[in-house]
DNA sequence: CCTGAAATCCCTCTTTCGAGTGAGCCTTGG
DNA sequence: CCAAGGCTCACTCGAAAGAGGGATTTCAGG
């Protein structure tokens, strides 16, 4: 089934246990070789430049430098890089960001283990690997409902519990303008108030909780 | 260093990759034997009753039945059960809940891999295993600032973006009462408004984001 | 028995939100 | 060129939210 050519793989995940698990799973395929590990996006970009693996398995949400940034860096240096995202998170924003950054595959961490190997082989054949579950999630992202950069900025401050007046001061705009943005955000996210907007934004991966 | 007696271990984590990683790590110790796996708290309780492992490695935040409930069930059936929590989350509420439920150890998932083995050995000697990082987090939890059951109930509804009036209707109490509770919650969490209360509650593990 | 914490309710007052409407400016793309 | 969308600001108005008081009941623990 597998070709005679060895497939070199770079693992990027901040959790030691997950890296071990991936090594263990990948070891079972005779033609797979884990050539390196990275614990954050920065390390991943450096490791990729040095090792030029056939496939990179990438977690999103890593300290120092997130997965999406890492994907962008890697693809900028090597547009042919094949990156398989392996994430806990199913927010459409995360998925969309990863795919537009150039990821070729997207797996959820709680997916059964026998999906990783076929996903890697799919990428090696130049084919994308997007599970139906993930595709559905992305499809539910209605076009035109994506927040603009400014709106995401506002949401980031909403998460911190800032009042409109404080947001206005922070951004150097008027409270009325903030109200406008908040109104548009509420409409786009289809929520009733700013509190719900925060939880929906968090669930969809539009913003993340600030690190402790 | 290790005793001649074999140590039986039950793994409970909803992520296949993590279970594989743990197996891989534990395999390195000659006297460790993984006797079972569980993918949620319910399975874990059943598996524990059947297998009676020396140590159970338990994730919090699992579908169907969370880790804390599983710990309670297991300890109820077997007060001598040794449970080592391995969690992503560092909210003081999660930690406190797990420890009061009867967990003997608490590891963060991004802890370096060489902590798991000594933690298990520590539990086998009847000693707790709480990393300084975790202990500090728990210590920062000021006494008297813990939310009451009713208040947590309110916070759960705050997360959903419910207005005070809606919360009142949902709980069968007056809006004034809800306001009182919210006021107390804001004071205890030391936040300015309900929106910030939500993010702080999420960060501290007082409540969790509803499943997608 | 008494204290304290929790939960319930009530009242007032000010600030903030959010809906509804309208409008000017700038950039991007067909 | 013109449309479209993003960002900006303004005004009104009713509904919430939150600060500040106080009050009652219940219940567990010292």
């Amino acid at each position: 089934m597998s070709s005679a050519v060895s497939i070199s793989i770079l693992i990027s995940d901040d959790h030691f246990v997950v890296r071990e698990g991936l090594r263990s799973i990948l070891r079972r395929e005779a033609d797979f070789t884990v050539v390196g590990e990275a614990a954050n996006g920065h390390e991943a970009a450096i490791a990729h430049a040095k090792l030029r693996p056939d496939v990179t398995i990438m977690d999103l949400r890593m300290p120092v430098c997130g997965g999406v940034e890492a994907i962008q860096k890697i693809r900028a240096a090597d547009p042919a890089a094949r990156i398989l995202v392996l994430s806990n998170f199913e927010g459409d924003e995360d998925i969309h960001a990863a795919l537009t950054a150039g990821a070729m595959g997207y797996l959820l961490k709680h997916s059964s283990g026998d999906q990783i190997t076929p996903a890697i082989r799919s990428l090696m054949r130049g084919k994308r690997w997007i599970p139906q579950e993930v595709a559905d999630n992305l499809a539910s992202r209605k076009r035109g409902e994506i927040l603009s950069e400014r709106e995401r900025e506002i949401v980031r401050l909403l998460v911190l519990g800032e009042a409109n007046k404080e947001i206005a001061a922070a951004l150097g705009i008027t409270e009325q303008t903030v109200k406008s943005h908040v109104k548009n955000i509420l409409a786009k996210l289809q929520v009733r108030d700013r509190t719900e907007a925060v939880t929906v934004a968090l669930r969809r991966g539009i913003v993340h909780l600030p690190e402790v």
Side-chain angles (χ1 to χ4, degrees), chain A residues 13-20 38-39 59 61-62 88 109:
Chain A
D13 195 301
D14 57 332
H15 297 318
F16 173 80
V17 178
V18 173
R19 294 199 300 271
E20 279 302 303
D59 187 21
R61 313 260 185 128
M62 291 182 289
N88 288 90
K109 258 184 192 166

Side-chain angles (χ1 to χ4, degrees), chain A residues 4 12 35 168 170-171:
Chain A
S12 178
V35 294
L171 299 182

Side-chain angles (χ1 to χ4, degrees), chain A residues 105-178:
Chain A
Y106 199 107
L107 278 182
L108 296 178
K109 258 184 192 166
H110 61 262
S111 64
S112 58
D114 51 9
Q115 294 209 26
I116 296 173
T117 298
I120 290 174
R121 298 208 184 279
S122 176
L123 260 61
M124 286 306 292
R125 288 195 307 272
K127 288 192 63 180
R128 296 183 169 277
W129 183 273
I130 313 291
Q132 194 57 43
E133 186 181 4
V134 173
D136 289 347
N137 196 325
L138 197 56
S140 74
R141 172 201 185 85
K142 299 174 194 67
R143 191 169 35 198
E145 290 207 355
I146 309 99
L147 301 189
S148 69
E149 186 51 51
R150 195 51 151 178
E151 286 164 348
R152 277 197 295 272
E153 189 75 30
I154 305 270
V155 172
R156 273 188 281 274
L157 295 170
L158 283 182
V159 170
L160 299 178
E162 310 255 358
N164 287 340
K165 191 179 287 183
E166 295 168 318
I167 296 174
L171 299 182
I173 58 180
T174 311
E175 192 182 347
Q176 326 307 327
T177 306
V178 176

Side-chain angles (χ1 to χ4, degrees), chain A residues 72-119:
Chain A
Q72 288 168 340
K73 283 186 194 173
I74 290 172
R75 295 278 299 192
D78 174 15
R82 302 180 194 88
I83 299 170
L84 175 63
V85 172
L86 181 69
S87 175
N88 288 90
F89 308 101
E90 18 199 89
D92 57 342
E93 190 70 21
D94 280 325
I95 299 171
H96 183 262
L99 293 181
T100 58
M104 303 292 291
Y106 199 107
L107 278 182
L108 296 178
K109 258 184 192 166
H110 61 262
S111 64
S112 58
D114 51 9
Q115 294 209 26
I116 296 173
T117 298

Side-chain angles (χ1 to χ4, degrees), chain A residues 178-191:
Chain A
V178 176
K179 283 187 177 185
S180 265
H181 287 309
V182 172
K183 191 205 333 178
N184 293 332
I185 290 167
L186 297 182
K188 285 185 179 181
L189 297 184
Q190 301 185 57
V191 294

